[in-house]
Amino acid sequence: MINRVLIRIKVLQIVYAYYHKEPIELKAAENELLLSLRMSYDLYYYFLLLIVELTRTYELLVDSRRNKYRPSDEELNPDLRLLNNRFVRQLEENEALQAYVKEHCITWIDDKSFVKDVLDMILKSELYNDYLQQEEDSYDIDKEFWRMVFKRIISDNEDIEAYLEDKSIYWNEDIDIIESFVIKTIRRFEQQNDSKQELIQMYNSNEDFEYALSLFRNSILHAYEYRERISNLTTNWDSERMASMDIVIMQTAMSELLNCPSIPIKVTLDEYIDAAKYYSTPKSSVFINGILDAIVSELKDEKLLMKD
């Protein structure tokens, strides 16, 4: 789940912070990287738990309406389809979810207003109304409802994203990516798996974990030689006007070019040029593209870069 796109983003953030915060030991910075990646994985479980918490909150709402003074017929006899949603029942009982949230103390208990606001969005939506009107009543319909809730209501919702970014500084760049994995997880659920349904692992393989460490370590340990090569190719540029994030992006790109033989050159260049569009100045991507192309040519001429 922690894919290389997300790893690159996190490494860029930690390398940038390494040069712009109080002096810090390499090991401490490395631990910060690993914490940042784990917090991204935590968000995955927060989202899954949110589905359960929204259902619990709706149950409390139904009970309060039933027990109020002079409830209406609708309040006395509400549609319980959302409460009886088979997918949510299965998710709530999921052993992997239960174990992880317990181990890492993941909870929405201090976010009741937020959960209620999200629930209100769902209950007022056409999606919810269409769900209640469905003639078919099945596990697949229940599952599809929550997949569409995440896709249409929760994903790309500015208010939800703003709240989550305030909740954790580690989630500023993660939300869209993690939301896509939650949607993928919902799609993968099978009723027959009951509580044993597998969730997405933190890393697809140990190679991704090693890639994260290697990318960061080499970015820092070889910083002098990387930056010297960058400097030699930017002699006509005013170093004070060059965005510091540009240097970090090129430095990290060089780390990947030289230390990740299985990643094609074009993939590396495309990824870091794309990162420049989001994390640096408007003109940075064109500038970085030119410098990285020149670096690749030099490294190939010097027989230091042998891959395609």
Side-chain angles (χ1 to χ4, degrees):
M1 191 195 81
I2 302 297
N3 60 24
R4 296 193 176 186
V5 173
L6 186 54
I7 289 171
R8 289 185 183 98
I9 292 170
K10 294 297 187 180
V11 170
L12 285 173
Q13 290 173 340
I14 300 299
V15 172
Y16 182 87
Y18 185 85
Y19 292 107
H20 291 84
K21 291 186 177 181
E22 294 293 323
I24 185 173
E25 295 291 332
L26 178 62
K27 186 61 178 178
E30 186 177 286
N31 289 338
E32 181 69 12
L33 170 64
L34 296 178
L35 173 61
S36 180
L37 291 169
R38 204 213 78 200
M39 290 297 290
S40 295
Y41 193 51
D42 281 1
L43 179 58
Y44 170 69
Y45 280 91
Y46 267 102
F47 272 136
L48 292 175
L49 188 62
L50 179 61
I51 296 172
V52 175
E53 196 61 36
L54 286 165
T55 305
R56 292 171 179 166
T57 301
Y58 182 63
E59 183 175 16
L60 293 174
L61 178 63
V62 168
D63 288 343
S64 67
R65 287 173 174 174
R66 278 174 171 167
N67 294 318
K68 76 176 189 179
Y69 180 65
R70 300 181 69 178
S72 65
D73 288 341
E74 183 179 353
E75 290 169 331
L76 282 172
N77 302 285
D79 192 313
L80 300 179
R81 191 162 187 169
L82 188 63
L83 291 184
N84 296 328
N85 187 285
R86 301 165 185 82
F87 164 72
V88 176
R89 288 181 181 176
Q90 182 185 12
L91 180 62
E92 185 174 17
E93 295 171 358
N94 184 269
E95 294 177 9
L97 176 64
Q98 290 180 353
Y100 193 93
V101 299
K102 181 178 181 180
E103 180 181 357
H104 297 281
C105 301
I106 291 174
T107 176
W108 290 102
I109 195 168
D110 295 326
D111 306 275
K112 292 180 179 179
S113 294
F114 167 73
V115 174
K116 186 178 182 302
D117 288 344
V118 177
L119 178 62
D120 287 343
M121 292 181 204
I122 295 171
L123 297 181
K124 292 175 182 177
S125 69
E126 290 185 15
L127 185 63
Y128 175 66
N129 185 60
D130 292 344
Y131 173 60
L132 296 185
Q133 300 304 316
Q134 285 270 7
E135 292 185 6
E136 182 182 350
D137 183 16
S138 66
Y139 172 87
D140 288 339
I141 294 295
D142 287 348
K143 183 178 75 169
E144 179 63 10
F145 168 71
W146 278 107
R147 190 183 74 84
M148 294 307 295
V149 165
F150 247 89
K151 187 173 182 178
R152 293 185 181 176
I153 298 176
I154 295 177
S155 295
D156 298 323
N157 184 295
E158 292 183 0
D159 292 334
I160 291 176
E161 288 186 2
Y163 186 89
L164 293 174
E165 288 171 0
D166 287 341
K167 185 174 175 67
S168 174
I169 61 173
Y170 293 99
W171 294 344
N172 290 351
E173 309 296 339
D174 303 3
I175 298 173
D176 290 347
I177 296 174
I178 303 304
E179 284 171 342
S180 70
F181 281 108
V182 173
I183 293 169
K184 183 182 295 185
T185 295
I186 296 172
R187 189 186 301 117
R188 288 180 176 179
F189 259 65
E190 298 288 346
Q191 188 173 18
Q192 64 266 25
N193 292 335
D194 297 323
S195 63
K196 304 291 186 180
Q197 175 71 45
E198 290 186 358
L199 303 181
I200 298 177
Q201 297 298 308
M202 183 170 177
Y203 293 100
N204 293 330
S205 68
N206 193 55
E207 287 182 6
D208 287 337
F209 175 76
E210 294 298 332
Y211 164 76
L213 292 180
S214 173
L215 184 63
F216 173 71
R217 287 172 181 167
N218 285 296
S219 294
I220 300 301
L221 294 175
H222 299 283
Y224 178 80
E225 62 190 85
Y226 295 167
R227 289 187 172 221
E228 183 177 39
R229 189 178 291 271
I230 292 167
S231 178
N232 291 338
L233 289 168
T234 55
T235 53
N236 294 327
W237 288 77
D238 184 346
S239 60
E240 292 184 357
R241 295 179 59 189
M242 193 188 307
S244 55
M245 178 53 89
D246 288 357
I247 299 173
V248 167
I249 290 171
M250 290 185 285
Q251 176 182 337
T252 309
M254 285 190 66
S255 174
E256 183 168 312
L257 285 167
L258 291 166
N259 299 286
C260 301
S262 65
I263 301 177
I265 293 172
K266 187 179 185 305
V267 171
T268 297
L269 297 186
D270 288 348
E271 290 293 337
Y272 288 96
I273 291 166
D274 193 52
K277 295 175 183 178
Y278 291 95
Y279 302 110
S280 199
T281 67
K283 297 181 180 180
S284 290
S285 61
V286 176
F287 168 67
I288 288 174
N289 187 15
I291 300 303
L292 287 180
D293 276 343
I295 287 172
V296 168
S297 295
E298 281 191 354
L299 292 173
K300 284 188 171 183
D301 290 342
E302 297 168 24
K303 308 299 182 186
L304 296 174
L305 187 60
M306 306 302 291
K307 64 182 181 180
D308 295 322

